[in-house]
Amino acid sequence: MSKEKQFIPLSIAVLVISDTRTETDDVSGKTLVECLVDTGHQLFEKAIVPDNIYQIRAVVSNWIAANAVNVIISTGGTGVTGRDGTPEAIMPLLDKVLDGFGETFRMLSYQDIKTSTIQSRAIAGVANGTYIFCLPGSSGACGTAWNSLIKEQLDFRTRPCNLVQLMPRLMEN
């Protein structure tokens, strides 16, 4: 008799990166929180910080160091303007980059926004055993990333493989 795999809820932190958004008018962060909670995961914490690489890095570094955080999802700061610095803030913290995430996200986004997808510098990786996903600031991009990529990879039942099943091995030497 085969046992069906059980869903494993993860602890996920959400970071909104914006110079203008507040808790009152933030749509993208709220979208992500709603998606992860509706899926069965737990919100560890949600924060909003300005587009400043050092403030971004400080919050993310604290979450990476917290054993209670399995995943960090940020929204905002992945474009090409002078203030967009999320990839520059996060890349030095990563132990490994998940190149396929950004590539696949842009491929999926092309269906909705056509060539504008080349402006996205969405990235993902692993730092200190914590998965990190950096998404564009639009709620549409957050929905696409969650529903088409992140949701299934953060579900232990997804086959042939998923990111959750690799968690016990992320800190191997």
Side-chain angles (χ1 to χ4, degrees):
M1 180 181 202
S2 66
K3 292 183 179 181
E4 186 161 326
K5 303 264 184 206
Q6 296 293 316
F7 180 79
I8 299 172
L10 301 176
S11 176
I12 302 176
V14 174
L15 181 62
V16 177
I17 299 158
S18 175
D19 290 330
T20 59
R21 296 289 179 238
T22 65
E23 196 58 49
T24 305
D25 62 5
D26 162 49
V27 177
S28 297
K30 287 179 183 171
T31 297
L32 289 169
V33 169
E34 183 177 294
C35 287
L36 72 91
V37 169
D38 286 350
T39 302
H41 295 296
Q42 301 162 351
L43 177 65
F44 176 79
E45 184 177 8
K46 179 185 173 217
I48 299 175
V49 298
D51 283 309
N52 175 289
I53 63 171
Y54 300 104
Q55 290 183 45
I56 296 166
R57 203 175 285 163
V59 172
V60 172
S61 292
N62 284 331
W63 285 340
I64 290 168
N67 290 333
V69 178
N70 304 118
V71 179
I72 299 167
I73 305 174
S74 74
T75 174
T78 62
V80 296
T81 71
R83 296 286 299 160
D84 291 321
T86 300
E88 289 76 15
I90 302 303
M91 289 297 285
L93 302 175
L94 297 179
D95 301 320
K96 294 198 176 4
V97 177
L98 299 173
D99 293 316
F101 174 80
E103 296 163 356
T104 306
F105 173 78
R106 284 180 282 280
M107 179 193 73
L108 293 167
S109 294
Y110 181 82
Q111 298 169 23
D112 295 325
I113 63 171
K114 302 297 180 219
T115 59
S116 296
T117 195
I118 69 167
Q119 297 176 33
S120 169
R121 298 184 307 137
I123 61 168
V126 182
N128 194 35
T130 304
Y131 290 113
I132 303 173
F133 299 91
C134 300
L135 313 178
S138 76
S139 58
C142 290
T144 296
W146 179 266
N147 292 315
S148 299
L149 290 168
I150 299 171
K151 178 181 176 180
E152 288 188 12
Q153 281 298 296
L154 296 184
D155 188 334
F156 185 67
R157 302 167 296 184
T158 298
R159 294 292 172 245
C161 57
N162 59 75
L163 294 174
V164 179
Q165 72 188 52
L166 299 175
M167 291 174 69
R169 300 185 60 205
L170 292 178
M171 299 298 287
E172 288 178 343
N173 290 325

